[in-house]
Amino acid sequence: MGMWWMGVILAVAVMVAIAQPTLGADLGAGKAIFTKECQNCHGPDGKGNPEIEKVLKKKIADLTEINLSKLPKAEREQLQQKFRKGLADGAPPMPAFGKKLSKGDQENVLEYVQKTFMKGGR
């Protein structure tokens, strides 16, 4: 193989390696959206905001109690789908974000929540 081809292969490999982190969810974008849209109720630590719970007269789920690694794959995927649906369609008293956030932004938030608050998150 000529030096030119080796250079092309090396350049493609470098470009793929650089692009790889951008192929998945953007945790920075997910954090920014969570901070703006979700943190008031879910709290900065994912445990829920006691003051909002008093106002709503409803317990907000403690995201840190969820251990995804202990769930069988099918249950884990089912729970993730439930979160996707809840985020898009709302789960009273939580508003729907399906029209406010793009699918990509919704995935960014879900990925951030899973990796930041849930045990065994992806």
Side-chain angles (χ1 to χ4, degrees), residues 64-101:
T64 66
E65 291 180 349
I66 299 168
N67 191 340
L68 295 172
S69 66
K70 298 235 183 217
L71 296 175
K73 184 179 180 183
E75 284 183 46
R76 182 181 179 142
E77 289 172 358
Q78 193 175 34
L79 182 63
Q80 290 168 331
Q81 282 305 109
K82 181 180 173 184
F83 281 121
R84 281 185 182 92
K85 182 169 177 35
L87 183 62
D89 299 340
M94 187 176 98
F97 287 95
K99 292 182 181 174
K100 186 172 186 175
L101 300 176

Side-chain angles (χ1 to χ4, degrees), residues 7-62:
V8 169
I9 291 170
L10 181 61
V12 169
V14 168
M15 289 182 343
V16 168
I18 290 170
Q20 193 65 31
T22 63
L23 296 178
D26 181 342
L27 292 180
K31 180 179 181 179
I33 295 166
F34 180 87
T35 300
K36 179 180 178 196
E37 302 290 348
C38 313
Q39 183 171 295
N40 188 46
C41 292
H42 289 283
D45 57 2
K47 293 183 178 188
N49 180 337
E51 297 303 314
I52 296 294
E53 288 177 347
K54 287 178 191 173
V55 171
L56 296 175
K57 296 183 175 109
K58 182 168 178 149
K59 176 79 173 124
I60 296 171
D62 183 344

